[in-house]
Amino acid sequence: MSNQHNGLKPLQDYTMDLKQLKYFTQVAELGSYTRAAEVTHVAQPVLSRQIRKLETELHQNLLIRHGRGVVLTDAGRTLLAHSRIILQQLDQAQEDLSLSEGKLTGHINLGLPPTVARTISLDLVRIFKRDFPDARLTLTEALTFNIEEGLHLGRLNIGLLYNPTSTENLETRLLAKEALYLICDKHSPYIQGRESISLRELADIPLIMPSDSNTFRSLLEQEMLKLDLKPQIELEINSVGVITQLLGVGMGAAILSRSVLDFIPDRSLLRAVPIENPCLVNRLYLAYSSKRLQTKLQRKLVDILIQLCDQHFSKNYPTGVVG
């Protein structure tokens, strides 16, 4: 049946533009005009007006509003599938055009946990600027929880995550495993005569730890709960930099990656004591959205991240770096 007979206009008569498709895709994927407005930096009324124009043009309802956001209609789901392909092909076309001029362009938003950011950021930026002088890289230092959210909302293209809580709609790759340590002043009475410390003994030590959204703390609490124990949290500080400063002047103890010692001016004043029975095994993952095709620039950055993590963390990850 032709379009004229079913009441629809011929395809060439539609005037939908890429802006409308981009706005529709953001709202549809995030399930909310509010979230989409934050990501696109466009006012909600503008988003609503553009998507309404799109619905009018297509003679279809694409989104249904409800108290918590929006849901897709059948027509909306169909358009979303096509819209993703169109926008991905546009990105690919722009990248191919830049390659024809002998350069790779684009913009990547990368999220890194504080410890990882401190370890690899300098080398990462140097390599990126050297290899891709016409591309842009934005680094965001954040906790794993916030990086996960950024990936789901489309604010970040790639992220490194410790022990991610949810991998739905994310492609992940395990980069490394590490044992966490009790780090404190070498003269602390809690570690005298010890080459290691058990999780049960750790319950008696007051700790400086981030808030409960931190993956290190969550791992500690989960393992202690199995022994019907709770950690003693003396101070809650959501900055690895501040925690390492406190450790560096002999104030308190913390459960952290051994690699933080590299950022303490006089690390000889501290000891990193292995935790055993059981070990606290931390896992570092690389992640990106499974809803979007990766550009060549993003694939190149993934390769660089894998190499840097292998290079920097192999000496700090006693349980081994994995590819």
Side-chain angles (χ1 to χ4, degrees), residues 206-224:
L207 299 171
I208 304 171
M209 293 291 287
S211 62
D212 53 14
S213 60
N214 176 265
T215 54
F216 287 12
R217 177 166 170 176
S218 295
L219 179 61
L220 173 65
E221 290 177 336
Q222 289 168 11
E223 292 300 322
M224 278 196 170

Side-chain angles (χ1 to χ4, degrees), residues 22-159:
K22 288 178 179 179
Y23 292 166
F24 163 73
T25 301
Q26 288 284 4
V27 174
E29 289 186 342
L30 299 177
S32 166
Y33 278 94
T34 302
R35 288 184 175 181
E38 293 173 357
V39 171
T40 60
H41 305 292
V42 175
Q44 288 188 53
V46 176
L47 291 179
S48 298
R49 186 162 58 250
Q50 290 295 326
I51 292 175
R52 186 58 195 153
K53 285 182 180 179
L54 184 59
E55 291 178 319
T56 301
E57 183 70 24
L58 296 175
H59 300 289
Q60 299 276 1
N61 289 324
L62 303 173
L63 300 168
I64 300 173
R65 290 179 179 266
H66 59 76
R68 296 186 300 274
V70 298
V71 294
L72 287 162
T73 64
D74 289 341
R77 281 189 288 271
T78 299
L79 181 61
L80 179 60
H82 288 286
S83 181
R84 284 172 175 162
I85 294 171
I86 292 168
L87 296 176
Q88 288 166 357
Q89 288 180 332
L90 178 63
D91 289 340
Q92 188 63 57
Q94 291 174 330
E95 187 173 76
D96 288 345
L97 286 171
S98 69
L99 287 172
S100 69
E101 299 176 355
K103 59 185 180 181
L104 193 58
T105 62
H107 180 205
I108 296 179
N109 287 289
L110 171 66
L112 299 176
T115 302
V116 178
R118 282 169 163 254
T119 304
I120 71 171
S121 290
L122 184 58
D123 286 343
L124 175 62
V125 171
R126 283 174 174 167
I127 294 170
F128 192 90
K129 288 178 67 66
R130 181 196 68 197
D131 293 352
F132 316 114
D134 298 295
R136 290 192 301 133
L137 175 65
T138 299
L139 289 181
T140 299
E141 182 181 310
L143 299 179
T144 284
F145 173 82
N146 301 112
I147 295 174
E148 281 186 68
E149 182 180 50
L151 290 170
H152 287 300
L153 294 179
R155 295 172 182 163
L156 298 174
N157 303 112
I158 301 171

